[in-house]
Amino acid sequence: MNKLVIAGSLAFDAIETPFGKTDKIIGGASPYIALSASNFNVDSCIVSVVGGDFPKEYFDILSNKNINVDGVKIVKEGKTMFWAGKYNQDMNQRTTLCTELNVFAEFNPEVPQKYQDADVLMLGNITPSIQKAIIEKMSRRPKLIIMDTMNYWMDNTPNELEETISMVDVLTINDEEARQLSGEFVLLTAAEKILAKGLRYLIIKKGDNGAILFSKKGEIFFAPALPMKSVCDPTGAGDSFAGGFAGYIASKGKTDFETVKSAVIAGSVMGSFCCERFGTENLQILNKDMVTNRVKQFENLTRFNF
């Protein structure tokens, strides 16, 4: 079984949408990524940090999906990262009500020795310097290194961000971030400039308008978003996309364009599941048949004869 290392925040989230709200629940990027990836045949490990207040039942949620948590450091006297957010009526925008980094502010990642030779490395949206440190702690270069980032790092740590981007194979950002990173408005031109930083692939996410995959060879693939009857909570949809994408590639052990195209669909599938319930609730109950049926929905959505 191929190995996948997932580096990212492990936190408490408190979410409010027009459809309800939660108390503190398991959150951060890494649970969404890992739970999504667990639907593919892969041996995954989370690298993160929590405080002594992180409950055992949250670790059980991950372990029950065969996700290794040996790379999660527990700072017994510390407090786990906490984020709270509220979405507007159409849920296209959200307001961050609270962000407490707590133990994550001093995160010094350690990759378990068993996973230092992982086939795929998925770097969640964290400080670029920490992403770089994790790459350097791998005993061999993975077949594919995937990096998520955001405009915060573009604004505040541009040099570190550029250095880390030069070390990875795949970058995932949204269309606004692609325009900011490249200084170009037209996405095709923006993609060309970003790929020139040394990437093999670039994924530009467009929310409920799908995602576009670009390769350094000039290949392009568009994946639509699945039309949804109901959206309860979009929190973690991008991380769920990343988990499906990384998990699929790790399970196949290949990184050619056709495989990466299918991985984009896998990511879109997992992102759609995420939105249907609050937090990671839906990801916790998925099974292979549910995933397979939704893949068929994507196939039917895009197949036509001319």
Side-chain angles (χ1 to χ4, degrees):
M1 188 180 294
N2 291 333
K3 299 176 186 176
L4 167 65
V5 167
I6 298 159
S9 55
L10 189 54
F12 295 126
D13 284 353
I15 303 163
E16 182 175 354
T17 80
F19 299 97
K21 63 181 187 178
T22 72
D23 293 321
K24 286 185 177 181
I25 57 175
I26 185 172
S30 62
Y32 289 96
I33 297 171
L35 288 167
S36 294
S38 70
N39 291 279
F40 304 91
N41 188 30
V42 63
D43 178 8
S44 63
C45 173
I46 289 178
V47 175
S48 192
V49 61
V50 295
D53 56 346
F54 198 77
K56 179 182 180 298
E57 53 262 37
Y58 285 3
F59 280 116
D60 291 342
I61 288 172
L62 303 169
S63 298
N64 289 341
K65 288 287 189 175
N66 297 315
I67 298 164
N68 188 291
V69 294
D70 291 345
V72 179
K73 182 179 180 180
I74 303 174
V75 181
K76 292 185 179 180
E77 67 279 10
K79 294 177 63 177
T80 300
M81 179 179 173
F82 172 64
W83 174 85
K86 180 177 180 179
Y87 289 85
N88 66 2
Q89 191 63 36
D90 66 5
M91 293 197 290
N92 284 323
Q93 293 182 336
R94 72 183 182 194
T95 301
T96 292
L97 304 175
C98 176
T99 300
E100 299 173 1
L101 292 178
N102 297 327
V103 295
F104 203 78
E106 304 297 327
F107 180 35
N108 181 21
E110 293 295 335
V111 182
Q113 186 173 1
K114 176 185 174 183
Y115 291 92
Q116 290 177 8
D117 63 347
D119 302 273
V120 176
L121 172 59
M122 177 65 231
L123 301 168
N125 178 20
I126 52 178
T127 310
S129 60
I130 295 178
Q131 293 173 321
K132 178 176 179 286
I134 293 168
I135 295 172
E136 293 173 340
K137 290 184 178 183
M138 304 298 289
S139 62
R140 70 175 186 187
R141 180 179 174 81
K143 293 178 181 178
L144 204 71
I145 302 176
I146 308 158
M147 173 184 177
D148 189 19
T149 194
M150 66 183 299
N151 52 6
Y152 179 85
W153 310 117
M154 297 174 197
D155 293 333
N156 294 281
T157 60
N159 294 334
E160 292 89 343
L161 178 62
E162 290 285 343
E163 184 178 5
T164 305
I165 288 174
S166 72
M167 301 172 68
V168 308
D169 302 296
V170 185
L171 181 66
T172 68
I173 49 180
N174 65 31
D175 46 3
E176 178 185 352
E177 292 157 350
R179 292 185 171 104
Q180 179 175 344
L181 186 60
S182 66
E184 300 286 347
F185 179 79
V186 178
L187 289 182
L188 181 58
T189 307
E192 291 173 348
K193 289 189 69 171
I194 296 170
L195 285 164
K197 299 178 185 293
L199 298 167
R200 293 174 61 189
Y201 301 107
L202 170 68
I203 298 171
I204 298 180
K205 298 172 290 185
K206 295 174 64 62
D208 57 6
N209 290 313
I212 311 174
L213 167 67
F214 301 88
S215 84
K216 68 177 182 179
K217 295 180 179 179
E219 300 153 310
I220 302 175
F221 173 69
F222 173 73
L226 187 71
M228 306 288 293
K229 290 184 178 180
S230 64
V231 175
C232 180
D233 171 25
T235 307
D239 294 316
S240 300
F241 176 99
F245 179 84
Y248 182 88
I249 289 179
S251 71
K252 297 299 181 182
K254 298 186 295 182
T255 61
D256 60 280
F257 188 68
E258 290 302 314
T259 300
V260 176
K261 282 168 57 176
S262 296
V264 170
I265 295 298
S268 298
V269 165
M270 301 315 301
S272 71
F273 278 121
C274 174
C275 295
E276 293 179 323
R277 297 193 183 194
F278 277 98
T280 63
E281 288 179 7
N282 217 24
L283 300 179
Q284 295 176 35
I285 62 171
L286 293 183
N287 58 48
K288 185 176 180 180
D289 288 341
M290 294 167 69
V291 174
T292 299
N293 288 337
R294 187 147 297 183
V295 169
K296 291 179 180 177
Q297 287 182 261
F298 269 89
E299 291 176 346
N300 293 333
L301 183 68
T302 56
R303 183 187 296 117
F304 65 91
N305 294 318
F306 186 75

